[in-house]
Amino acid sequence: MNHSRLIALVVLGATGSTGGLVAQVQGIPVRNAGVGTGIGIAVDVGFPSASAGNGLGLGATAAIGLGPIGVTGSVARFDPKGAGGAINSAGATANLKIFGGPLIPVSVTLQAGAAYSKESSTSAGGAAIVLKTWHAPVGLGLALTIPNPVFSIKPWVAPRLDVTRATLSGGGTASTVSNTDTHFGISGGVDLGFLNGLTIRAMYDRVNMGGGVHPSVISLGLGFKVGT
């Protein structure tokens, strides 16, 4: 990644080319589909829009649900088109179910998360340049579980606030450039859950940055859980 692109990313709040606002971890949508009981793992493949960097995102997530409380941990590798290198990121969420239960098909979940990524490059003079990005989504998730004899269908939607802070340092100078932005985002999807614990899931994420800029990402994934 070149020096001018890194500076542009900080000015834009680490959005656009890296998809920093359209993902919990880079290249994968923010997921808030409720709190399940037990342990779950999942893998997802993300396809960002042009304003989110294009390219491809690959993510893996582990989740634990204990009653109304759930936590997740995720790692991802995002390879934006034309960026010259992949971006690794890691993140976590804490989830609290405020409505819903085993016999109630509707659930409402509060979620707060944080993710971190770091990009490195060199200036024209050979000095190291580092862009660090923190992303903190906070929102509410609404999910509906529709059972049937073969598999359950769970559509969900989750509006949120996105807070992103990007910091650029290096380049042969002692100065550091930082920028913090807050935007409205929304994600949603559909899960198909089978009796053996396998889940097929599709997700979509979009952020309203104003000025007609709406970076988004679509993902497809597989999950498996032990518990209900």
Side-chain angles (χ1 to χ4, degrees), residues 96-200:
L96 175 64
K97 183 186 293 184
I98 59 175
F99 180 82
L103 301 179
I104 302 175
V106 177
S107 68
V108 180
T109 305
L110 290 174
Q111 182 186 75
Y116 173 80
S117 64
K118 179 179 177 181
E119 304 173 57
S120 300
S121 185
T122 56
S123 67
I129 305 168
V130 177
L131 174 65
K132 299 178 181 179
T133 305
W134 282 97
H135 174 217
V138 179
L140 185 71
L142 308 172
L144 171 66
T145 300
I146 306 170
N148 69 57
V150 179
F151 52 79
S152 65
I153 303 172
K154 182 166 72 172
W156 60 273
V157 63
R160 69 180 188 274
L161 287 179
D162 265 311
V163 180
T164 302
R165 181 171 178 81
T167 301
L168 176 70
S169 61
T173 68
S175 62
T176 297
V177 181
S178 297
N179 189 76
T180 301
D181 278 292
T182 301
H183 298 280
F184 174 78
I186 188 167
S187 57
V190 177
D191 294 0
L192 303 180
F194 297 87
L195 295 177
N196 61 1
L198 178 68
T199 300
I200 300 173

Side-chain angles (χ1 to χ4, degrees), residues 38-59:
I39 299 172
I41 57 174
V43 292
D44 297 284
V45 180
F47 306 93
S49 65
S51 59
N54 280 326
L56 187 71
L58 299 173

Side-chain angles (χ1 to χ4, degrees), residues 56 77-80 83-88 118-120:
L56 187 71
R77 181 177 176 85
F78 174 43
D79 190 5
I87 305 166
N88 297 317
K118 179 179 177 181
E119 304 173 57
S120 300

